[in-house]
Amino acid sequence: MLSADAMPALILPLIDAAAHWPERGGLVGLDLGTKTIGVAVSNPDRRLATGVETIQRKAFKQDAARLLAIAAERKAVGFVLGLPINMDGSEGPRAQSTRAFARNLAGLTTLPIGLWDERLSTAAVERELIGMDVSRAKRAEVIDEHAAIFILQGALDRLANLRATSGPG
Protein backbone atom coordinates (compact mmCIF):
# COMPACT_ATOMS: atom_id res chain seq x y z
CA MET A 1 0.00 0.00 0.00
CA LEU A 2 1.12 3.54 -0.66
CA SER A 3 1.85 5.85 2.19
CA ALA A 4 -0.33 8.94 2.34
CA ASP A 5 2.40 11.17 0.87
CA ALA A 6 3.51 8.78 -1.91
CA MET A 7 2.62 9.58 -5.49
CA PRO A 8 0.82 6.89 -7.49
CA ALA A 9 2.84 5.06 -10.11
CA LEU A 10 3.38 6.52 -13.55
CA ILE A 11 1.51 4.84 -16.42
CA LEU A 12 3.34 5.39 -19.69
CA PRO A 13 4.01 3.77 -23.05
CA LEU A 14 6.79 1.18 -22.63
CA ILE A 15 9.63 3.32 -23.99
CA ASP A 16 8.72 6.26 -21.74
CA ALA A 17 8.24 4.01 -18.69
CA ALA A 18 11.69 2.48 -19.22
CA ALA A 19 13.26 5.87 -18.50
CA HIS A 20 11.77 5.67 -14.98
CA TRP A 21 13.04 2.15 -14.20
CA PRO A 22 16.50 1.67 -12.69
CA GLU A 23 19.20 0.22 -14.97
CA ARG A 24 18.77 -3.23 -13.40
CA GLY A 25 15.84 -5.01 -11.84
CA GLY A 26 13.16 -7.40 -12.95
CA LEU A 27 9.87 -6.45 -14.54
CA VAL A 28 6.50 -8.12 -14.03
CA GLY A 29 4.59 -8.71 -17.26
CA LEU A 30 0.80 -9.03 -17.22
CA ASP A 31 -1.73 -10.37 -19.70
CA LEU A 32 -5.12 -9.21 -18.42
CA GLY A 33 -7.91 -11.55 -19.41
CA THR A 34 -11.52 -11.20 -18.32
CA LYS A 35 -11.28 -14.26 -16.06
CA THR A 36 -7.54 -14.61 -15.46
CA ILE A 37 -4.31 -12.63 -15.30
CA GLY A 38 -1.23 -14.24 -16.82
CA VAL A 39 1.92 -13.26 -14.94
CA ALA A 40 5.54 -13.42 -16.13
CA VAL A 41 8.73 -11.93 -14.71
CA SER A 42 12.07 -11.01 -16.19
CA ASN A 43 15.52 -11.61 -14.79
CA PRO A 44 17.26 -8.52 -13.29
CA ASP A 45 19.17 -7.95 -16.56
CA ARG A 46 15.84 -7.93 -18.44
CA ARG A 47 16.90 -10.45 -21.06
CA LEU A 48 14.50 -13.34 -20.42
CA ALA A 49 10.83 -13.54 -19.47
CA THR A 50 9.62 -16.54 -17.46
CA GLY A 51 6.08 -17.53 -16.55
CA VAL A 52 5.08 -17.29 -12.89
CA GLU A 53 1.39 -18.15 -12.63
CA THR A 54 -2.11 -17.54 -13.85
CA ILE A 55 -4.26 -15.70 -11.33
CA GLN A 56 -7.98 -16.49 -11.34
CA ARG A 57 -9.52 -13.03 -11.20
CA LYS A 58 -11.66 -12.29 -8.15
CA ALA A 59 -11.98 -8.77 -6.81
CA PHE A 60 -9.52 -6.08 -7.91
CA LYS A 61 -8.05 -5.66 -4.40
CA GLN A 62 -7.31 -9.40 -4.14
CA ASP A 63 -5.83 -9.52 -7.63
CA ALA A 64 -3.71 -6.43 -7.01
CA ALA A 65 -2.51 -7.76 -3.64
CA ARG A 66 -1.24 -10.92 -5.36
CA LEU A 67 0.47 -8.93 -8.12
CA LEU A 68 2.15 -6.62 -5.62
CA ALA A 69 3.27 -9.65 -3.57
CA ILE A 70 4.83 -11.19 -6.71
CA ALA A 71 6.56 -7.88 -7.50
CA ALA A 72 7.92 -7.69 -3.93
CA GLU A 73 9.06 -11.35 -3.90
CA ARG A 74 10.91 -10.82 -7.18
CA LYS A 75 12.22 -7.36 -6.19
CA ALA A 76 10.69 -6.03 -9.41
CA VAL A 77 11.18 -2.41 -10.41
CA GLY A 78 8.16 -2.05 -12.70
CA PHE A 79 5.21 -3.60 -14.49
CA VAL A 80 4.57 -4.20 -18.19
CA LEU A 81 0.90 -4.49 -19.11
CA GLY A 82 -0.17 -5.83 -22.46
CA LEU A 83 -2.43 -3.24 -24.07
CA PRO A 84 -4.86 -4.93 -26.50
CA ILE A 85 -4.95 -2.45 -29.36
CA ASN A 86 -7.16 -3.19 -32.38
CA MET A 87 -5.49 -4.02 -35.68
CA ASP A 88 -6.38 -0.56 -37.03
CA GLY A 89 -4.58 1.06 -34.07
CA SER A 90 -7.75 2.11 -32.26
CA GLU A 91 -8.56 1.19 -28.68
CA GLY A 92 -11.69 -0.76 -27.89
CA PRO A 93 -13.32 -1.81 -24.62
CA ARG A 94 -10.53 -4.27 -23.69
CA ALA A 95 -7.87 -1.57 -24.03
CA GLN A 96 -9.99 0.81 -21.95
CA SER A 97 -10.41 -1.91 -19.33
CA THR A 98 -6.62 -2.44 -19.27
CA ARG A 99 -6.02 1.29 -18.82
CA ALA A 100 -8.55 1.33 -15.95
CA PHE A 101 -6.78 -1.64 -14.33
CA ALA A 102 -3.44 0.19 -14.72
CA ARG A 103 -4.87 3.34 -13.08
CA ASN A 104 -6.22 1.32 -10.17
CA LEU A 105 -2.94 -0.57 -9.76
CA ALA A 106 -0.99 2.69 -9.95
CA GLY A 107 -2.90 3.90 -6.90
CA LEU A 108 -1.42 1.02 -4.88
CA THR A 109 2.23 1.13 -5.94
CA THR A 110 5.04 3.48 -6.91
CA LEU A 111 6.46 1.02 -9.47
CA PRO A 112 6.18 2.59 -12.95
CA ILE A 113 3.79 0.80 -15.31
CA GLY A 114 4.67 0.45 -18.97
CA LEU A 115 1.97 -0.26 -21.56
CA TRP A 116 3.04 -2.49 -24.45
CA ASP A 117 1.05 -3.16 -27.62
CA GLU A 118 0.08 -6.82 -27.34
CA ARG A 119 -1.68 -7.23 -30.67
CA LEU A 120 -1.77 -10.88 -31.65
CA SER A 121 0.02 -12.14 -28.52
CA THR A 122 -2.69 -14.61 -27.52
CA ALA A 123 -3.14 -15.77 -31.12
CA ALA A 124 0.62 -16.26 -31.53
CA VAL A 125 0.83 -18.24 -28.30
CA GLU A 126 -2.19 -20.33 -29.26
CA ARG A 127 -0.52 -21.23 -32.58
CA GLU A 128 2.72 -22.09 -30.79
CA LEU A 129 0.94 -24.35 -28.28
CA ILE A 130 -1.04 -26.05 -31.07
CA GLY A 131 2.24 -26.57 -32.92
CA MET A 132 3.59 -28.27 -29.79
CA ASP A 133 0.49 -30.51 -29.80
CA VAL A 134 -0.75 -29.20 -26.44
CA SER A 135 -4.34 -30.32 -25.77
CA ARG A 136 -7.16 -27.77 -25.83
CA ALA A 137 -7.76 -28.21 -22.07
CA LYS A 138 -4.07 -27.71 -21.26
CA ARG A 139 -3.88 -24.69 -23.60
CA ALA A 140 -6.78 -23.08 -21.72
CA GLU A 141 -4.85 -23.52 -18.45
CA VAL A 142 -1.59 -21.98 -19.67
CA ILE A 143 -2.55 -19.54 -22.43
CA ASP A 144 -2.63 -16.38 -20.27
CA GLU A 145 0.66 -17.14 -18.55
CA HIS A 146 2.26 -17.86 -21.93
CA ALA A 147 0.74 -14.68 -23.36
CA ALA A 148 2.28 -12.76 -20.42
CA ILE A 149 5.67 -14.30 -21.29
CA PHE A 150 5.17 -13.34 -24.97
CA ILE A 151 4.20 -9.76 -24.01
CA LEU A 152 7.08 -9.29 -21.56
CA GLN A 153 9.66 -10.89 -23.88
CA GLY A 154 8.52 -8.63 -26.72
CA ALA A 155 8.91 -5.60 -24.44
CA LEU A 156 12.36 -6.78 -23.24
CA ASP A 157 13.50 -7.32 -26.83
CA ARG A 158 12.27 -3.84 -27.80
CA LEU A 159 14.12 -2.25 -24.87
CA ALA A 160 17.31 -4.20 -25.67
CA ASN A 161 17.05 -3.09 -29.30
CA LEU A 162 16.71 0.54 -28.19
CA ARG A 163 19.76 0.25 -25.91
CA ALA A 164 21.78 -1.28 -28.75
CA THR A 165 20.88 1.45 -31.24
CA SER A 166 21.23 4.40 -28.86
CA GLY A 167 24.54 3.21 -27.39
CA PRO A 168 26.02 4.53 -24.15
CA GLY A 169 24.58 7.87 -23.02
Side-chain angles (χ1 to χ4, degrees):
M1 281 295 165
L2 287 180
S3 62
D5 59 341
M7 292 291 291
L10 295 169
I11 304 168
L12 300 164
L14 178 74
I15 306 312
D16 299 330
H20 296 275
W21 293 323
E23 194 65 33
R24 281 186 46 107
L27 300 174
V28 177
L30 304 176
D31 177 54
L32 299 176
T34 52
K35 296 183 177 115
T36 60
I37 301 172
V39 184
V41 295
S42 77
N43 62 330
D45 290 329
R46 299 187 200 139
R47 296 199 197 296
L48 185 65
T50 312
V52 177
E53 68 183 76
T54 298
I55 297 170
Q56 295 301 317
R57 291 186 81 165
K58 296 179 177 86
F60 172 78
K61 286 209 184 308
Q62 282 178 279
D63 301 344
R66 181 65 194 130
L67 294 172
L68 295 173
I70 291 168
E73 288 161 15
R74 307 288 175 139
K75 298 178 177 55
V77 298
F79 289 96
V80 174
L81 264 69
L83 186 64
I85 296 174
N86 295 326
M87 294 313 272
D88 66 2
S90 66
E91 292 190 15
R94 287 193 56 233
Q96 293 164 0
S97 172
T98 297
R99 287 187 183 278
F101 186 94
R103 281 192 302 274
N104 291 335
L105 185 61
L108 301 175
T109 183
T110 58
L111 299 179
I113 299 169
L115 300 174
W116 175 241
D117 180 352
E118 64 137 304
R119 266 180 274 199
L120 302 179
S121 62
T122 302
V125 169
E126 180 93 21
R127 278 195 307 277
E128 190 177 301
L129 292 171
I130 289 169
M132 293 166 34
D133 207 25
V134 176
S135 73
R136 183 183 302 264
K138 185 66 177 160
R139 284 198 312 267
E141 285 175 30
V142 301
I143 190 96
D144 292 316
E145 184 180 320
H146 281 255
I149 296 167
F150 187 90
I151 289 164
L152 184 55
Q153 190 64 55
L156 297 174
D157 293 349
R158 178 75 176 110
L159 294 172
N161 192 11
L162 281 175
R163 283 194 303 275
T165 56
S166 65

